[in-house]
Amino acid sequence: MATSAAKSAAARVRELRKQIEHHNYRYHVLDDPEVSDAEYDRLLRELKALEEQYPDLVTVDSPTQRVGATPVSELQEVVHTRPMLSLDNAFADEDVVAFDRRVRERLEDVEQIEYSAEPKLDGLAISFRYESGRLVQAATRGDGLRGEDVTHNVRTIKAVPTVLRGSPPKLLEVRGEVFMLIAGFKAMNQRALERGERTFVNPRNAAAGSIRQLDPRLAADRPFDVFFYGVGETDGWKLPARHSEALQQLREWGLKVSPLLKIVQGAEGCLQYYREIGAKRASLPYEIDGVVYKVNRFVQQRDLGFVARAPRWAIAHKFPAHEENTVVKGVEFQVGRTGALTPVARLEPVFVGGVTVSNATLHNMDEVRRKDVRIGDTVVIRRAGDVIPEVVKVIVERRPKDAQEVELPSKCPVCGSAVEREEGEAVARCTGGLVCAAQRKEAIRHFAGRRALDIDGLGTKIIDQLVESDPPLVRSPADLYVLTAEQLAALDRMGEKSAENLVEAIEASKKHATLPRFLYALGIRDVGEATAAALGNHFGSLKELQGATEEQIQEVPDVGPVVAAHVYKFFQEKHNRDVIAALTRHVQLQSQARKAATGEGPLAGKTFVLTGSLDSMSRDEAGDRIAALGGKVAGSVSKKTSYVVAGAEAGSKLAKAQELGVEVLDEKKFLKLLESG
Ligand code: 9MJ
């Protein structure tokens, strides 16, 4: 017999699930959460604790059961009672016009067709079966008639409700696309790379690969999302007249529908939508490969019917492909700011992702070997969003007999200094340091960057001239501070007024230099903003840091032996010390960061990790404000982290924080904390 404690536990469990489901809906469907991640996690933790105490209360659709149930031994076949259709493709505007004409001809008498226009997600089509509002099965499309049961993995996806809201019908089978967010995909690949595991070529392959795994624990920590776009078998639901109305009803039941869905009129309306979404494509957090137009009225859909596996009432209008084949004509090596040599494939120009591409990065020699790229090879090039085009893979079948292997040059292509590759490192480097013009230009560009000393108006073209002039006007960042307006005005494309403005901007940079910014500006290998802030906060002054031993540098939170070695070595190099000495004759470092070192300030002893982007300030401003109150900023989340500040599109650091139970602050809370500080 249930004790009264067990009874009240059962009531509390019901209440918690209701609240969690409500917050899921606010977060995933409405994109308008009511509570912070931390509060949400507290509810989830409370539920978990109660379920541990009273195992009888656990149900399969409890929000706690998402994270990895037991693996299945094989994927079972699922027969789709209503076939899952695929879509015909349109590539050119004329294809869409012809589609619309065919539709009108078949429907006779209808002058203008109303379409529901939707982005076409590039993921994995899934059928979801809800019985009495509970998720009972999820299956892949397969060949459209038979798919595979992937319920165990789909249950781990937080955006897929396990229980529907309101009064859903007895049976509701819905279709949607499961996909990966680009940021999450990148973070996941980065982690895989760090662990020496295999990486995925693109978010689509990653989604498909993960959803068809046998062990749901693999899917559970992957950044999936979903949009529902169609209705399959139903029982107990009198469908509304239009597809768009059906989707609106799905939304009310808690199923996430694309917010970009729009009702448009005729081919003209479709084409306009295509252009609207095309303009948004690069800024969407997920990949789309086109848009879909669906005849909106169900009666018209029924009258049109389908041919083979595709409906006559819908068409996918594809965007230019992200991937194309082309030939590698040669491989050159670019020298970066830190001297890293990057192999770059020179390509037979090819139109991909909406632009003509003639170069693609090969990252490093390990990648060249791993992908076995040779000169003369036909390769797959990928360009997604605004990222640098890359070589995905070689089409080995098309390799010509005289294809040449790529060799790492022994001398820097820019300055002729020796090229060195450290044991166990993928990256080869020029040893020329500031002697190498490539590094000099990049070093100055980095130094003047917005997040470094922020010299407004010192662009690439000007830097090139300053470094290339004979004799060079600028050999190191310190030389910037002795430039005169006359010298600058003599440069190409520089008027007197802009020369004066630039001198002023250089002057201004002397004043807003904080120690963390300055350290970041130096461009020390592996010292990003977070590490620079940590070093600055720990040592409090440049002198202290310059005098520190490798061991002392390692004492800084989040600085490991490798970074410590780079920092130590940097300050040991005579030419670096000379440049710093020259710089500090001009630049006065503000002492705000000392507060942390002496344990002062309301945030003293607190370590922050920043992830995602904030609306009200840049990441470095956030870092500066934390430092000003005595707190520290670290680059990665650990048990020692006090807070993770999560902005929009927060990545793996947020997941890590949740895993470790570190308090997560959203922007509002973070601002409050700064203000109260
Ligand atoms: C995707 N992939 O986003 C359909 N799709 O409709 C949308 N796919 C579809 N609709 C009928 N938005 C068959 C496939």
Side-chain angles (χ1 to χ4, degrees), residues 84-87 118-123 177 229-230 289 292 294 311 313-314:
M84 279 184 84
L85 304 173
S86 58
L87 295 167
E118 317 165 359
K120 184 171 184 298
L121 273 301
D122 200 6
E177 198 85 356
Y229 56 68
D289 58 351
V292 186
K294 295 175 183 168
W313 43 264

Side-chain angles (χ1 to χ4, degrees), residues 190-198:
Q190 185 58 39
R191 271 192 315 248
L193 214 59
E194 281 160 13
R195 294 190 202 132
E197 293 166 4
R198 79 173 259 235

Side-chain angles (χ1 to χ4, degrees), residues 179-249:
F179 57 93
M180 254 186 208
L181 294 169
I182 298 168
F185 162 75
K186 282 189 187 152
M188 180 186 105
N189 258 358
Q190 185 58 39
R191 271 192 315 248
L193 214 59
E194 281 160 13
R195 294 190 202 132
E197 293 166 4
R198 79 173 259 235
T199 55
F200 289 100
V201 167
N202 57 41
R204 207 206 96 78
N205 289 7
S210 319
I211 288 294
R212 297 189 60 256
Q213 292 278 356
L214 300 176
D215 186 348
R217 277 164 300 196
L218 292 169
D221 60 23
R222 292 187 177 171
F224 285 114
D225 208 335
V226 67
F227 282 130
F228 295 89
Y229 56 68
V231 178
E233 197 188 355
T234 63
D235 184 7
W237 182 21
K238 187 176 177 305
L239 264 123
R242 290 177 172 82
H243 169 75
S244 56
E245 292 163 352
L247 294 190
Q248 180 53 35
Q249 177 62 70

